[in-house]
């Protein structure tokens, strides 16, 4: 329940007065970006993914093969890209359309 000291804010969407803490939680949840892989699964920080096709890595002169497992991904501000590391490549950014959640 809400505390007795909680300020109330008018919610234009519902037309009701609601606790400020509840409105802040709703606003924070709305700001979260949902990132999905090639199969439509939701990705989160720390997930492991598998490549769905061979990818030539620019600047590394190397190709990552289909089926390569990438561990401990990090989400970025862009819902179409993830940060990750591979044993041979540090600072790798992959497009979500080329990965599938493991």
């Amino acid at each position: 329940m809400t505390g007795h000291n909680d300020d109330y804010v008018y919610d234009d969407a519902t037309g009701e007065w609601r606790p400020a803490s509840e409105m802040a939680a709703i606003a924070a949840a709305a700001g979260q970006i949902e990132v999905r892989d090639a199969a439509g699964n939701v990705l989160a920080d720390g997930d492991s993914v598998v490549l769905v096709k061979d990818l030539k890595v620019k600047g590394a002169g190397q190709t990552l093969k289909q089926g390569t497992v990438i561990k401990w991904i990090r989400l970025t501000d862009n819902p179409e890209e993830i940060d990750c590391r591979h044993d041979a490549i540090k600072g790798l950014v992959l497009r979500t359309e080329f990965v599938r959640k493991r």
Side-chain angles (χ1 to χ4, degrees):
M1 300 306 276
T2 60
H4 295 291
N5 304 10
D6 207 0
D7 293 329
Y8 282 80
V9 178
Y10 185 75
D11 183 9
D12 292 326
T14 62
E16 299 174 344
W17 288 91
R18 299 175 76 178
S21 59
E22 185 178 312
M23 294 297 289
I26 292 170
Q32 294 176 347
I33 299 172
E34 193 172 78
V35 179
R36 295 190 175 266
D37 67 0
N41 300 316
V42 177
L43 296 174
D45 284 337
D47 282 346
S48 295
V49 295
V50 177
L51 297 180
V52 296
K53 70 177 271 183
D54 291 351
L55 298 174
K56 292 182 183 177
V57 181
K58 293 181 181 178
Q62 187 172 355
T63 301
L64 293 175
K65 299 291 183 184
Q66 178 180 356
T68 302
V69 176
I70 306 290
K71 297 180 181 177
W72 294 99
I73 66 167
R74 279 186 317 203
L75 304 181
T76 62
D77 293 336
N78 184 347
E80 296 177 356
E81 295 178 347
I82 54 172
D83 281 333
C84 50
R85 277 197 278 190
H86 186 263
D87 296 334
I89 305 166
K90 306 295 184 218
L92 181 63
V93 176
L94 293 174
R95 306 240 341 138
T96 55
E97 63 191 278
F98 301 124
V99 299
R100 179 178 41 87
K101 189 173 183 175
R102 186 167 182 216

